[in-house]
Amino acid sequence: MDWIRRSFYSLAAVVASAFPSLANDIGQADKGEAVFRECARCHSVGEGAKNRVGPHLNGIFGRRAAAVDGFNYSNGLTRMGKDGLVWDFDLLDRYVENPKAFASDTRMAYKGLKDAGQRADLLAFLRRYSDDPGNIPEAAPTASGTDHAVDAAILALQGDPEYGEYLSSECTSCHQLDGDNDGIPAIVGWPTEDFVVAMHAYKDKFRPHPVMQMMAGRLSNEEIAALAAYFGAAAP
Amino acid sequence: MKLNRRLFMGGAAAGAATLAAPMAQASTHGKPRVVVIGGGAGGATAARYIAKDSKGEIDVTLIEPSRSYYTCFFSNLYIGGFRDLTSIAHSYGKLAADFGVNVVHDWAVGIDRDARTVSLAGGGTMPYDRLILSPGIDFVDGAVEGWDVSHQNAMPHAYKAGSQSELLKAQIEAMPEGGIFAMIAPPNPFRCPPGPYERISMVAHVLKARNPTAKIIVADPKDKFSKMALFQEGWADHYPGMIDWIGSDFGGGNVSVNPDAMTVTIDGEETKVDVCNVIPAMKAGRICELAGITDGNWVPVNPHTMQARADENIHVLGDASQQGDMPKSGFAANSQAKVAAMAVRAALTGSKQFPAKFTNTCWSLIDTDDGVKVGASYEATDEKIAKVDGFISQTGEDATLRKATYEESIGWYAGITADMFG
């Protein structure tokens, strides 16, 4: 877990210096209650909250990802939970900002909340329903002011599948072309955009996993596009 | 190093003049011929990628004495009872049937670099335009006083997987109650840096269940080793009081053995042991010496192409190569093989050549569901394969993450063996 915290602290430090006005404010819970109305179509929180379309959000701070019994999570969030991801302010902030960049196959059909202030308010509201809010720092690493959406020009890049095939040999030391999903996720047959968004999320260290952050970290935009083109066309 | 396609195209154009010569050379005897010696993580991968990507334009011959190949990686898990032996055995049938590789089960016993031929123990010679050597390791003669390869039944190395692994496992299981297992660990550099310490973990795992009063002694000529903090934390947690690791500071490098008496002498103190796993100092597989391309114990290579510094017609992969920062691992050999395969195809058929990139990850198992990993990415500089970035598991990680890491290693095993053998 140390690696997760370390990368977030460093990111938080960068963000804090760039957005000093946000750095000391966790958000206003009362305003967050209004923001939550959009979430409430699928999620419930508070006394007697139950799983609905989405899992209940009581105790979400400090809860391991994909940990509510009886809820059918995506493979991606399940894997993150196994890898040790525990929801804190930063991670929830990222997930709410851009759910698909965080977990490609998430079942949360929500486009994301771009406004950092609204996210801070929302999280301040949710924080009321976590077991021990006293342990959650008021001035925690704050809402990310950076936009993690992948630039349209990057998404528009047409990848060269032949080049992707060459680069893919670095991936196939672990990921199998037959689409085997045990232990290491399958990466064949993905929609190009999902693949590109996921790889940039690792490259930007938005998505946690040390091996993938390292692998994606040294791929250029063109290389990611080429891999997306190659693996997208590779049938499992 | 960040690269884009345009840069590659430029590189390919600049290389075009040099590509013309080998193509002409190859055309004097029909299809260009590549001979690969050694069918492990380096050689099998190289043979498969050249055959697959050249789409029949290159004749590929793989020379490997074993019909059934046992991977060294995961052989410790066999010793620990987590895998059976058949699960780490692989045949070359798909390389032949699906990729058209000419698989020859024989020993390569000589290389004539001027005539560009390989001679085989069974008679006959194989001509090549490019030769790929991926023979793995052999042991340095006299590295451990009192031991040579003729003693490998009494004191197994089990550092080439298969019957040696079976022998060592049987000896561990036959240890008397409260007996002593000794390991003589090797000096750097050696195959699979975490390997001896994963093995200690697996031996301890077996003994904890079958023979909990048994002891393990490790005599080590080094003062530190790969993932040391992770292993030592795991040993203290899972096997308290069982493992005595004697590093160089305490005379772990001052060792002799007596295979007849089954004794080990560490820094002047003789101990009677029940099992002794001797892992001697290593060198490149002997065929590299026979080819006359070694410098000391290993073969220096060009990091961009894995060509031997001494002979541009020979590429050397994996453990046998001296390349810089990469560890001697199956993952590294597999990664280097893809770079060499691309360079060989570019030289023989004029196919596109992209800049070399390398990666490595080594997973180790400490106890049931307690997996750890270390890895890095690398690039080629003119001087060496240089580390760019890396990561390592942390001490104190929770059980769920360790289990996920172990499951990741199982996924990787399936992935890399499919990548090697088809």
Side-chain angles (χ1 to χ4, degrees):
Chain A
M1 279 307 294
D2 281 359
W3 52 269
I4 293 189
R5 296 217 182 87
R6 210 173 311 124
S7 62
F8 294 153
Y9 283 145
S10 57
L11 183 121
V14 170
V15 170
S17 59
F19 299 89
S21 62
L22 293 175
N24 296 314
D25 191 0
I26 197 174
Q28 297 176 32
D30 293 342
K31 283 192 185 170
E33 187 169 7
V35 178
F36 184 72
R37 277 182 210 131
E38 192 173 354
C39 317
R41 288 184 213 150
C42 300
H43 290 282
S44 60
V45 70
E47 202 182 329
K50 289 195 177 62
N51 293 340
R52 291 168 46 221
V53 177
H56 77 76
L57 296 175
N58 288 344
I60 185 69
F61 282 85
R63 186 161 96 196
R64 193 181 272 272
V68 173
D69 278 346
F71 188 79
N72 183 22
Y73 290 95
S74 62
N75 287 334
L77 282 178
T78 302
R79 204 180 291 274
M80 284 182 191
K82 284 182 164 190
D83 282 349
L85 187 147
V86 173
W87 292 118
D88 62 10
F89 187 93
D90 255 327
L91 291 166
L92 286 166
D93 183 56
R94 283 153 188 254
Y95 188 39
V96 173
E97 181 199 333
N98 193 338
K100 261 183 95 81
F102 198 83
S104 303
D105 61 348
T106 181
R107 299 207 166 94
M108 185 158 83
Y110 178 61
K111 64 187 185 321
L113 181 59
K114 302 301 170 208
D115 186 311
Q118 285 193 345
R119 292 200 303 276
D121 293 343
L122 172 68
L123 294 178
F125 169 72
L126 288 175
R127 189 172 159 283
R128 286 180 174 171
Y129 302 97
S130 284
D131 284 346
D132 194 2
N135 287 346
I136 303 163
E138 284 289 351
T142 190
S144 161
T146 330
D147 186 357
H148 288 98
V150 177
D151 196 69
I154 292 173
L155 285 176
L157 283 173
Q158 287 295 313
D160 172 356
E162 190 194 353
Y163 182 34
E165 182 174 9
Y166 160 67
L167 292 168
S168 75
S169 70
E170 209 169 24
C171 315
T172 54
S173 293
C174 296
H175 296 277
Q176 289 185 68
L177 277 174
D178 67 6
D180 186 285
N181 201 40
D182 288 340
I184 288 185
I187 56 170
V188 290
W190 285 33
T192 311
E193 183 169 328
D194 286 4
F195 193 100
V196 171
V197 166
M199 291 299 281
H200 281 278
Y202 287 121
K203 186 177 163 76
D204 298 343
K205 302 200 189 313
F206 182 79
R207 204 187 267 212
H209 193 278
V211 182
M212 284 309 303
Q213 288 181 355
M214 180 185 84
M215 300 301 294
R218 60 180 186 152
L219 292 171
S220 68
N221 297 341
E222 289 81 3
E223 287 171 327
I224 289 173
L227 283 166
Y230 171 70
F231 280 116
Chain B
M1 190 164 83
K2 292 286 181 312
L3 295 144
N4 58 40
R5 272 218 73 202
R6 235 164 292 118
L7 215 133
F8 300 152
M9 306 303 257
T18 53
L19 292 176
M23 285 173 76
Q25 168 195 72
S27 69
T28 58
H29 45 59
K31 275 191 204 176
R33 289 176 293 210
V34 171
V35 173
V36 182
I37 297 177
T45 306
R48 180 167 165 269
Y49 271 78
I50 294 171
K52 172 171 79 73
D53 294 339
S54 71
K55 299 180 170 66
E57 280 184 59
I58 296 176
D59 270 342
V60 182
T61 297
L62 176 64
I63 302 172
E64 162 59 49
S66 313
R67 283 174 169 73
S68 202
Y69 181 86
Y70 295 91
T71 57
C72 243
F73 45 95
F74 273 38
S75 66
N76 283 331
L77 272 58
Y78 159 71
I79 290 170
F82 291 91
R83 305 282 289 213
D84 60 34
L85 200 59
T86 54
S87 79
I88 60 166
H90 303 270
S91 76
Y92 296 93
K94 281 190 183 167
L95 286 184
D98 297 353
F99 300 95
V101 174
N102 175 28
V103 181
V104 176
H105 292 298
D106 203 342
W107 283 94
V109 292
I111 292 167
D112 183 332
R113 284 162 47 194
D114 296 324
R116 281 188 278 139
T117 56
V118 176
S119 50
L120 301 174
T125 58
M126 306 281 315
Y128 65 82
D129 295 299
R130 284 291 169 110
L131 177 63
I132 295 179
L133 290 185
S134 192
I137 49 108
D138 274 314
F139 300 115
V140 173
D141 290 338
V144 175
E145 190 186 331
W147 191 93
D148 64 48
V149 178
S150 71
H151 299 117
Q152 69 172 13
N153 260 31
M155 293 187 168
H157 52 79
Y159 233 63
K160 298 178 185 183
S163 52
Q164 276 277 302
S165 319
E166 284 186 274
L167 176 63
L168 185 64
K169 183 176 168 71
Q171 290 181 352
I172 294 161
E173 290 172 355
M175 277 171 65
E177 193 181 330
I180 296 177
F181 174 98
M183 172 189 279
I184 313 299
N188 291 322
F190 61 97
R191 159 181 286 183
C192 189
Y197 312 99
E198 179 185 61
R199 176 169 298 168
I200 289 300
S201 308
M202 293 295 95
V203 173
H205 172 82
V206 171
L207 293 176
K208 185 180 173 181
R210 299 175 67 104
N211 191 348
T213 55
K215 297 281 180 228
I216 296 172
I217 304 171
V218 188
D220 203 323
K222 307 181 291 296
D223 59 4
K224 58 181 195 289
F225 55 83
S226 173
K227 301 178 191 162
M228 184 167 175
L230 295 166
F231 280 115
Q232 291 190 329
E233 176 193 53
W235 293 347
D237 283 354
H238 300 297
Y239 316 115
M242 184 181 269
I243 300 165
D244 184 12
W245 178 77
I246 303 167
S248 62
D249 294 352
F250 294 90
N254 178 15
V255 169
S256 65
V257 298
N258 182 335
D260 296 324
M262 283 304 287
T263 57
V264 173
T265 304
I266 304 169
D267 206 25
E269 190 181 329
E270 186 180 82
T271 307
K272 177 91 175 69
V273 301
D274 299 289
V275 179
C276 187
N277 178 201
V278 175
I279 310 176
M282 299 172 201
K283 61 180 182 179
R286 197 168 126 67
I287 190 72
C288 297
E289 276 170 73
L290 296 175
I293 55 174
T294 51
D295 178 10
N297 286 333
W298 311 101
V299 185
V301 295
N302 175 342
H304 298 285
T305 57
M306 302 304 291
Q307 282 163 300
R309 297 277 192 195
D311 187 335
E312 63 176 18
N313 294 318
I314 304 179
H315 300 248
V316 182
L317 306 178
D319 297 349
S321 68
Q322 177 186 307
Q323 33 68 22
D325 294 348
M326 295 186 85
K328 297 185 185 301
S329 74
F331 198 126
N334 170 264
S335 176
Q336 293 160 12
K338 293 165 190 174
V339 168
M342 175 181 60
V344 165
R345 284 198 303 118
L348 297 180
T349 67
S351 65
K352 266 190 268 184
Q353 188 169 358
F354 301 105
K357 272 188 180 180
F358 305 91
T359 341
N360 179 64
T361 303
C362 291
W363 287 266
S364 304
L365 188 61
I366 301 176
D367 198 352
T368 307
D369 289 336
D370 190 0
V372 292
K373 63 184 169 186
V374 60
S377 61
Y378 306 84
E379 66 186 10
T381 67
D382 290 343
E383 179 208 350
K384 64 173 185 175
I385 296 182
K387 182 175 168 180
V388 177
D389 191 12
F391 59 86
I392 185 166
S393 295
Q394 302 295 307
T395 53
E397 287 172 342
D398 71 19
T400 327
L401 173 55
R402 290 295 178 86
K403 183 167 190 279
T405 304
Y406 172 56
E407 286 167 358
E408 192 176 76
S409 76
I410 297 171
W412 163 75
Y413 186 90
I416 192 174
T417 51
D419 205 36
M420 290 162 62
F421 300 106

